[in-house]
Amino acid sequence: MPESPHREPPAAPPKTGDAPHPATTTAFAPLDALPRTADGAQVWAALGGAGLITRAYRGGDVRAGTDPDGLADLLTAVDARSSLAATLSVSVQLATALPVLAAGRSPAARQALGRALTGRATVALAATDVTAGTDLTALRTEVRIEDDALELSGEKDWIANTTTAAAFLVLARHRPGRHFTHFTWVLVPADAPGVTVRPADSALFADSGVGHVAFDGVRLDRDHVLGRVGFGLPLFARHIGTERLAGAQWGVALCRRVLADTHRRLSSRPHGAGTLWDLPAVRQRFAACLLRVRELHALVAAYAEPVAVHHDATAAATLKAAAGGTVNHVLTECGQLWGAAGFTTGGIQEIRAQAALFGIGGGANEVVLGTLADVAESVLADLVRPGTLP
């Protein structure tokens, strides 16, 4: 991961009973063998080769649903050892791509899922179109479905894992109009004729394999339709909540790590007769960051099961909005506390720029706040203690 200047080994995490922190357990030793510069595909291969990817799912079965604790452990371990961009690559696959892929029952889908789970292949979730990313009903990528074949045309922009993917999960429209039943998922091999990949111009996220992919009359067998025709958006909606949960879990891990690095620096940086940590203004700002992270941690604990098990869209939107705001606040404050040293290559200011993703990817903050506003009455009702009048 891009490191804070003069970064020391990760601080020992707070104890929670006798359970070891996932960043320190021997289960994740395969990740320790990777260089800090490993990209997302290399991290994914190490996880799959060690049989760790299945820990993110109940009973080790993707089709059984996400295990929130297992997902959090994986994301925390990867964040502790990898770049933010590489962690993004892993997170998207764990939370969204593999669950969507698991909806396919054809031999092609089962084979792709098996290869992904063992780390032999990465899978790119190609939902975002050349249109506004949050307006999926306006996407232009089209699939024409025949009795025994399909033909796909269109373009997807800013897709993680594009340059490394063995296969793309493509959300395409099979019928004109904005109705939610007009969209279908298609499993597209990256080497299929008509598929063209371009890396995105982004030094910040190169390790995630981010890029653009075009489909020019790509013809495939009908069994590359993933799931039921017309169920593309409902399937996406079912799993985007898990991606938002993963983002909040990752946000907690990232903020804890950055705060630990910052605390070590402040405690060792001489100032007057003491250190920067002794300054009341510094301690106040740091404590405000701790408060924000504890609030996000509490929300994750409260909403993990509703999102992962019951697919609660309101809870997922709450987590997404909270994570975006918290990560931005914490990294902005830590960037200020690092001073000029934060501008070194790989320093806190670089991490801060990358972490702006938390307020954009998976639904911009404004979009998820709008979701909460739409259900304002029910949210307010949930805040009333049982047996009392508002």
Side-chain angles (χ1 to χ4, degrees), residues 9-369:
K15 290 185 177 180
T16 54
D18 294 326
H21 192 275
T24 61
T25 58
T26 57
F28 296 100
L31 294 181
D32 295 325
L34 295 176
R36 299 288 300 183
T37 56
D39 63 21
Q42 292 171 311
V43 175
W44 186 256
L47 289 172
L52 295 172
I53 293 173
T54 56
R55 292 171 65 121
Y57 310 106
R58 293 197 291 272
D61 183 357
V62 183
R63 294 185 180 90
T66 301
D67 177 349
D69 291 337
L71 178 61
D73 286 352
L74 279 171
L75 291 173
T76 301
V78 173
D79 173 78
R81 296 162 171 84
S82 307
S83 70
L84 192 147
T87 307
L88 169 65
S89 167
V90 170
S91 177
V92 171
Q93 292 183 90
L94 289 175
T96 319
L98 264 60
V100 169
L101 179 57
R105 303 295 182 177
S106 69
R110 289 197 299 269
Q111 181 182 32
L113 181 61
R115 295 187 66 208
L117 287 171
T118 56
R120 291 176 293 157
T122 57
V123 179
L125 186 81
T128 307
D129 214 285
V130 292
T131 53
T134 55
D135 188 10
L136 291 179
T137 58
L139 62 81
R140 300 172 186 169
T141 301
E142 297 182 351
V143 59
R144 183 165 56 86
I145 302 174
E146 304 167 0
D147 290 340
D148 58 357
L150 62 86
E151 184 172 309
L152 180 73
S153 295
E155 186 173 353
K156 299 291 184 175
D157 285 354
W158 294 104
I159 305 300
N161 300 306
T162 290
T163 62
T164 63
F168 293 93
L169 303 178
V170 182
L171 185 62
R173 64 167 60 255
H174 65 271
R175 185 178 299 170
R178 287 177 170 266
H179 196 273
F180 72 96
T181 62
H182 292 183
F183 305 90
T184 297
W185 287 100
V186 180
L187 174 62
V188 183
D191 60 358
V195 177
T196 303
V197 167
R198 292 182 295 116
D201 182 14
S202 175
L204 291 175
F205 288 100
D207 286 351
S208 73
V210 67
H212 317 302
V213 56
F215 307 98
D216 184 12
V218 177
R219 290 192 62 83
L220 298 167
D221 293 340
R222 171 67 184 257
D223 67 357
H224 284 78
V225 171
L226 196 67
R228 296 171 61 183
V229 173
F231 278 70
L233 285 185
L235 183 60
F236 180 78
R238 182 179 180 86
H239 295 298
I240 189 61
T242 309
E243 182 174 317
R244 291 169 175 173
L245 167 62
Q249 292 174 324
W250 177 18
V252 171
L254 172 62
C255 288
R256 190 212 69 84
R257 179 173 58 75
V258 169
L259 284 168
D261 283 351
T262 303
H263 181 259
R264 280 193 293 271
R265 175 171 174 80
L266 296 172
S267 299
S268 62
R269 185 77 167 169
H271 181 82
T275 66
L276 287 175
W277 178 247
D278 297 319
L279 297 176
V282 168
R283 294 164 66 86
Q284 289 283 325
R285 295 179 76 163
F286 193 90
C289 291
L290 291 176
L291 177 60
R292 293 290 295 266
V293 177
R294 294 198 73 169
E295 289 172 342
L296 180 59
H297 185 265
L299 282 173
V300 170
Y303 289 148
E305 286 294 317
V307 172
V309 178
H310 304 295
H311 307 289
D312 187 327
T314 301
T318 301
L319 289 175
K320 178 65 176 65
T326 297
V327 172
N328 178 66
H329 177 87
V330 169
L331 269 69
T332 298
E333 289 294 282
C334 287
Q336 184 71 17
L337 293 172
W338 270 87
F343 291 98
T344 57
T345 300
I348 183 63
Q349 295 294 353
E350 187 173 314
I351 299 173
R352 175 189 172 195
Q354 291 175 306
L357 175 75
F358 283 84
I360 298 173
N365 279 355
E366 295 81 1
V367 172
V368 290
L369 287 173

